[in-house]
Amino acid sequence: MTYGCQTWSMTKAVGQKLRVAQRAMERKMLGLKLTDKISCKEIRNKTQVSDIAQHIAKQKWKWARHVARIQDNRWTLRVTEWQPRNGKRSRGRQARQWRDDIVRTMGNMWTREAKDKEEWRRGAEGLILKWMDGA
């Protein structure tokens, strides 16, 4: 369900859809129906499955650090740092980019901070908490 989640741009809508799908799978694992009226917390306690948003946040954070430490000119680094030719994005509300979550948590100099392991770990805790609240 989370294959390639490191490269996703997480939005509230995507996060909500993933959580709903996860809850449906957990109910199926326990043989429950929606009409049984059992709370999500109770189901989570029985299945002992971690939250999907938290898992995705951890994976994305690990991938971001990996990309930031790349030294040569690989396509992963080029795609991450790519900017439009004219330097401007189109009018209107901007589509969420992959690095927006990381920039919001760590700032524009996130690639420098990724090289400091302890600083990066502190930022990871902040990002996971933001995503747990619903992106």
Side-chain angles (χ1 to χ4, degrees), residues 48-76:
Q48 296 296 312
V49 176
S50 62
D51 184 52
I52 194 163
Q54 185 177 8
H55 172 74
I56 291 171
K58 286 180 184 178
Q59 293 299 315
K60 184 172 183 172
W61 201 251
K62 285 163 75 174
W63 179 250
R65 184 161 191 259
H66 173 72
V67 168
R69 291 181 300 150
I70 292 175
Q71 296 297 320
D72 55 355
N73 195 20
R74 291 189 217 168
W75 69 268
T76 50

Side-chain angles (χ1 to χ4, degrees), residues 88-103:
K88 296 181 181 179
R89 292 165 72 180
S90 61
R91 278 182 57 182
R93 183 176 177 165
Q94 302 302 314
R96 191 136 186 193
Q97 292 181 338
W98 175 84
R99 65 185 191 168
D100 288 345
D101 296 320
I102 296 160
V103 168

Side-chain angles (χ1 to χ4, degrees), residues 82-126:
W82 178 82
Q83 294 292 328
R85 286 186 188 184
N86 61 3
K88 296 181 181 179
R89 292 165 72 180
S90 61
R91 278 182 57 182
R93 183 176 177 165
Q94 302 302 314
R96 191 136 186 193
Q97 292 181 338
W98 175 84
R99 65 185 191 168
D100 288 345
D101 296 320
I102 296 160
V103 168
R104 186 177 54 174
T105 304
M106 296 298 286
N108 286 328
M109 302 308 239
W110 67 273
T111 53
R112 285 188 191 163
E113 293 177 12
K115 293 174 177 121
D116 180 13
K117 200 172 196 177
E118 293 305 315
E119 183 71 26
W120 195 249
R121 283 189 180 152
R122 282 192 293 270
E125 294 167 3

Side-chain angles (χ1 to χ4, degrees), residues 12-29:
K12 286 183 181 180
V14 170
Q16 184 62 29
K17 287 178 184 179
L18 288 168
R19 285 186 179 103
V20 168
Q22 182 182 15
R23 284 193 295 269
M25 289 178 196
E26 289 175 5
R27 269 191 248 97
K28 193 71 166 175
M29 287 168 39

